[in-house]
Amino acid sequence: MSSGISPSLNNLFVPSYDSNVIHTPVTFLMCPPKLYDVNYVINPWMTGNVHAASRVHAAEQWQRLYEAVVQIADVVLVEPQPGSPDMVFTANAGLERNGTVVLSRFF
C-alpha cells in the first residue's frame, strides 16, 4: 500500500522534537525602509544604482517579510536614522545561534 508520499520525501530527515528541552525564542532585528536609498557606492552591487531604488517597492517587500517573520519569531524594530539610508540591512550583520555568531561577508 502506498503512503501517498513521494519516494524522495520518504527519505527526508526530520529531527525529533524533545518537549523537555527549553527552546529560546528567535529574535530578529529589523529596520523599516522609511529612509532607504542608494546614496553612494560601497560595494559592486551598488554600482549604477545610485538613487535608482524604489522606496515604495522596498516598503512593500519589507512589509511582507516583516509579516512573515513576526509569525515565527520575535522582531525588534529600530527606527532608521537620517544619513544612514542602508540601515534597512541590519539583518545582514550576522546571525547568532547557541552562542556562536556567523558574520556576513560581501566579497
Side-chain angles (χ1 to χ4, degrees), residues 44-68:
W45 298 276
M46 296 171 81
T47 302
N49 291 302
V50 172
H51 303 298
S54 166
R55 193 173 289 166
V56 171
H57 189 62
E60 291 168 353
Q61 290 178 328
W62 185 92
Q63 187 63 40
R64 286 194 306 270
L65 176 63
Y66 172 80
E67 289 170 3

Side-chain angles (χ1 to χ4, degrees), residues 31-42 46 50-51 53 55 58 79-90:
C31 179
K34 296 174 186 175
L35 302 177
Y36 169 67
D37 197 1
V38 178
N39 293 339
Y40 45 80
V41 175
I42 59 171
M46 296 171 81
V50 172
H51 303 298
R55 193 173 289 166
E79 281 299 310
Q81 300 298 309
S84 299
D86 53 358
M87 281 184 67
V88 69
F89 298 110
T90 54

